[in-house]
């Protein structure tokens, strides 16, 4: 493909009239003052910047590495609301590529390849399996020497859809030639080793970064809901997508058990998703319409967490559920299913919250009621959340960057 026929790439950020410079002069501006050596140029790819866990942590991580002096591009196929949270000194590269049915972000391969040829980042960090497959193919097409380091956000092998199985199979083949894969939890890392040709020494655990200070500040902001912070009610909260993975049917069944034991308890299921109306119908059928609220998408979920009495997660599987760390950052006690992967790792096997088997409403209800009657000390929750701060995670990423590029 000639340069004239390649897809256009839109650079938005400092000096955005031209593609990010990769000359020695521009790299000198990003030199590490302690060692006098230029820091490598980095790029992250996420399909869009719509509101979501992977998108949120990607923006947080990009901002942290940029704060440390790295020249970082955030490459997307389409821009969403999370773009507003990017640091001004991060370059947002919008491929503006279509997503035709059956192909999705795969249609963006030419645009990603074009970006790699023009910007030549030392490392490209794609987020999630499908995005990693697309970036690995684009990198091969581009002919550049960029190192692709995929980041897996979910436990491999848990999704059973035809497309999911196909993507996992292709990832297994492509990862054979990948230098290293990053996993957001040890459980995800174990699943990568089990599902791909990679040995454990080629899989590195890099937790998701959570801006603990900012989240804690927002947790004190008032929210427009009569049950939050009400002295008359014990609030059991969920915030997130309403999809099969989250098993909110079990959540409702567990909350019914809680409400029968503690009549003043109230449940809030915030967020949106394809199962929202079905869940509302189940709540009505179970006689919970007056004690369970579905406020939809909320602007400040942290205000809800700060005012709730316990955060309850009923997921069938995760990777490293960001929402649990966010709840800890708000000082909100947590009860969660001990699903693969992440909750037990975050809660240190139950030290910082209560765990229950997957798909067991009574056990989940007991876990939540344990936190209602004898919650973990708030100071301990906040201290645990700091283990996932941008500073802590940024240190891990810098170690990965140095190790990968050491012999190049």
């Amino acid at each position: 493909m000639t340069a004239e026929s390649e897809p256009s790439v839109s650079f938005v950020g400092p000096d955005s009239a031209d593609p990010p410079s990769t000359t020695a002069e521009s790299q000198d501006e990003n030199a590490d003052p302690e060692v006098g050596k230029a820091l490598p140029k980095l790029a992250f790819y996420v399909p869009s910047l719509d509101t979501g866990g992977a998108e949120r942590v990607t923006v947080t991580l990009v901002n942290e590495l940029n704060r440390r002096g790295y020249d970082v591009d955030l490459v997307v196929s389409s821009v969403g609301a999370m773009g507003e949270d990017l640091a001004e000194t991060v370059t947002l590269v919008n491929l503006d590529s279509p997503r035709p049915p059956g192909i999705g972000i795969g249609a963006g391969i030419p645009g990603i390849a074009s970006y790699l040829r023009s910007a030549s980042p030392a490392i490209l960090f794609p987020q999630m399996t499908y995005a990693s497959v697309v970036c690995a193919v684009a990198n091969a097409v581009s002919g550049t020497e960029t190192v692709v380091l995929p980041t897996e956000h979910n436990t491999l092998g848990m999704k059973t859809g035809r497309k999911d199985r196909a993507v996992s199979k292709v990832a297994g083949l492509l990862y054979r030639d990948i230098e290293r894969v990053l996993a957001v939890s040890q459980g995800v890392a174990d699943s990568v080793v089990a599902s791909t040709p990679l040995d454990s020494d080629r899989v590195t655990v890099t937790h998701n970064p959570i801006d603990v200070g900012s989240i804690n500040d927002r947790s004190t902001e008032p929210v427009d809901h009569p049950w939050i912070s009400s002295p008359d009610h014990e609030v059991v909260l969920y915030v997130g997508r309403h999809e099969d993975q989250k098993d909110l049917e079990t959540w409702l069944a567990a909350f019914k058990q809680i409400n029968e034991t503690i009549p003043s308890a109230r449940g809030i299921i915030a967020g949106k998703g394809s199962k929202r109306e079905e869940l509302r119908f189940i709540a009505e059928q179970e006689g919970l319409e007056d004690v369970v609220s579905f406020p939809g998408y909320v602007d400040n979920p942290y205000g809800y967490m700060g005012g709730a009495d316990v955060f309850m997660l009923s997921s069938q599987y995760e990777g490293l559920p960001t929402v649990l760390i966010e709840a800890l950052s708000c000082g909100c006690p947590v009860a969660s299913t001990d699903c693969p992967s992440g909750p037990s790792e975050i809660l240190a096997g139950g030290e910082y919250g209560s765990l229950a088997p997957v798909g067991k409403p009574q056990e989940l209800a007991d876990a939540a009621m344990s936190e209602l009657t004898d919650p973990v000390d708030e100071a301990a929750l906040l201290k645990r959340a700091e283990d996932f701060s941008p500073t802590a995670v940024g240190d891990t990423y810098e170690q990965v960057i140095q190790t990968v590029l050491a012999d190049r």
Side-chain angles (χ1 to χ4, degrees), residues 4 7 85 92 98 157 180 273 283 301 336 349 376 403:
E4 288 75 19
D85 296 330
L92 177 61
R180 185 178 299 269
S336 174
V376 178
T403 299

Side-chain angles (χ1 to χ4, degrees), residues 179-180 193 198-204:
E179 185 167 333
R180 185 178 299 269
V193 173
L198 294 176
D199 295 328
S200 58
D201 60 354
R202 292 170 61 195
V203 183
T204 301

Side-chain angles (χ1 to χ4, degrees), residues 266-397:
R266 296 293 183 267
I268 298 176
I269 299 179
K272 58 183 181 179
S274 63
K275 295 180 69 71
R276 184 165 185 258
E277 292 308 313
E278 179 183 342
L279 292 166
R280 288 168 62 94
F281 177 77
I282 292 173
E284 291 176 5
Q285 292 295 106
E286 294 296 327
L288 299 173
E289 65 270 25
D290 294 331
V291 294
V292 175
S293 169
F294 293 83
Y297 173 80
V298 294
D299 290 329
N300 181 14
Y302 312 125
Y304 279 74
M305 293 176 186
D309 295 284
V310 62
F311 187 96
M312 187 166 73
L313 187 71
S314 52
S315 295
Q316 295 177 343
Y317 64 92
E318 290 284 351
L320 188 79
T322 302
V323 70
L324 291 188
I325 309 171
E326 291 173 334
L328 298 181
S329 301
C330 298
C332 182
V334 169
S336 174
T337 50
D338 190 8
C339 67
S341 303
S344 182
E345 195 167 329
I346 293 169
L347 302 178
E351 182 179 352
Y352 297 99
S354 297
L355 295 163
V358 173
K360 301 291 185 180
Q362 185 61 63
E363 285 87 339
L364 183 58
D366 290 343
M369 286 189 286
S370 173
E371 293 301 323
L372 287 173
T373 57
D374 186 22
V376 178
D377 181 69
E378 182 176 345
L381 299 180
L382 297 175
K383 183 177 180 181
R384 176 56 175 164
E386 285 291 344
D387 292 336
F388 303 90
S389 69
T391 299
V393 177
D395 289 344
T396 302
Y397 265 83

Side-chain angles (χ1 to χ4, degrees), residues 59 99 106 119 167 177 194 228 241 262 277 335-336 338 354 399:
V59 168
R99 298 191 192 184
V167 169
D177 299 320
I228 291 295
R241 294 181 296 115
I262 309 174
E277 292 308 313
S336 174
D338 190 8
S354 297
Q399 292 172 8

Side-chain angles (χ1 to χ4, degrees), residues 155-233:
T155 305
L156 294 188
M158 298 301 294
K159 294 184 177 181
T160 58
R162 182 183 303 175
K163 180 178 178 181
D164 297 318
R165 292 197 303 270
V167 169
S168 295
K169 184 175 291 187
V170 173
L173 295 173
L174 288 175
Y175 285 4
R176 190 186 309 273
D177 299 320
I178 290 289
E179 185 167 333
R180 185 178 299 269
V181 170
L182 308 183
V184 297
S185 69
Q186 186 59 55
V188 171
D190 293 342
S191 76
V192 171
V193 173
S195 304
T196 73
L198 294 176
D199 295 328
S200 58
D201 60 354
R202 292 170 61 195
V203 183
T204 301
V205 175
T206 51
H207 290 142
N208 288 332
I210 306 298
D211 192 343
V212 177
S214 174
I215 289 173
N216 187 261
D217 288 343
R218 295 192 64 191
S219 73
T220 62
E221 297 176 2
V223 297
D224 185 20
H225 197 291
W227 297 341
I228 291 295
S229 299
S230 168
D232 299 323
H233 300 298

Side-chain angles (χ1 to χ4, degrees), residues 4 19 40 46 82 98 107 116 120 151 157 169 188 213 264 324 348:
E4 288 75 19
V46 66
M82 291 299 300
L116 292 173
S120 299
T151 301
K169 184 175 291 187
V188 171
S264 57
L324 291 188

Side-chain angles (χ1 to χ4, degrees), residues 78-117:
S78 61
V79 179
M82 291 299 300
E84 298 177 359
D85 296 330
L86 270 181
E88 293 182 0
T89 47
V90 172
T91 300
L92 177 61
V93 182
N94 181 16
L95 302 177
D96 196 22
S97 58
R99 298 191 192 184
I103 300 177
I105 62 171
I109 288 175
I112 297 171
S114 176
Y115 161 76
L116 292 173
R117 281 190 286 265

